[in-house]
Amino acid sequence: MSSRLRIQVERTNPTTWEIRYPGIPALQPRAVTLIQSAITLPQATGFDPSNPQDRALAIDITALKSPRNGDVARFGGYLFDVLVGSAWNTITAAGLPSAIELASSDPEFHRLPWEMAYGGGDFLAKQNVGVIRVNPSA
């Protein structure tokens, strides 16, 4: 796939993001539960921001503190799960996208380092998948 994948994320209520893939009709929108703490963090399989260790890792990564061995890949896997998770096989059925466009009007969404996404065996950036942030204009 040499095209871009657009992912639209909107906060539907104070504790939920709805993630949509408008270019892939086979994929239904999905809801992601948000945990409020020092920063807003979505829940995903294998990473629970209400767990003090997971929350501390997220805060360390987003504050650019020096991670321990394996922390960046673990956090990147969490970000990947939030964005695409089990939809990745459907998304990549025709090949890897050249870029993922992240469209959201929620400033909390854009606070997370989505460029660290780790899936498909490596960081998406190392697989030549770019990340483009799309912000609404005034």
Side-chain angles (χ1 to χ4, degrees):
M1 176 185 282
S2 62
S3 63
R4 294 180 177 179
L5 167 66
R6 187 173 190 94
I7 299 176
Q8 292 180 308
V9 180
E10 296 303 327
R11 191 178 291 228
T12 55
N13 63 54
T15 60
T16 307
W17 279 336
E18 182 180 87
I19 299 178
R20 295 185 310 268
Y21 312 92
I24 306 176
L27 293 176
Q28 297 296 313
R30 58 189 189 90
V32 175
T33 301
L34 301 173
I35 303 297
Q36 305 292 325
S37 66
I39 59 174
T40 300
L41 295 167
Q43 271 190 313
T45 304
F47 196 97
D48 182 1
S50 62
N51 173 310
Q53 290 177 321
D54 287 349
R55 183 175 51 253
L57 172 59
I59 291 169
D60 285 352
I61 294 281
T62 57
L64 301 176
K65 292 185 179 178
S66 295
R68 293 183 314 257
N69 189 27
D71 281 354
V72 174
R74 181 167 185 263
F75 193 74
Y78 157 65
L79 295 172
F80 178 86
D81 279 350
V82 170
L83 284 179
V84 294
S86 62
W88 191 241
N89 289 338
T90 302
I91 290 166
T92 60
L96 287 174
S98 60
I100 297 174
E101 296 178 349
L102 300 176
S104 181
S105 61
D106 187 347
E108 292 292 323
F109 174 81
H110 288 293
R111 286 182 65 185
L112 293 172
W114 300 106
E115 294 81 2
M116 290 175 59
Y118 183 97
D122 210 338
F123 292 98
L124 295 184
K126 286 182 76 176
Q127 298 176 57
N128 295 318
V129 178
V131 173
I132 301 167
R133 292 174 184 260
V134 180
N135 294 300
S137 61

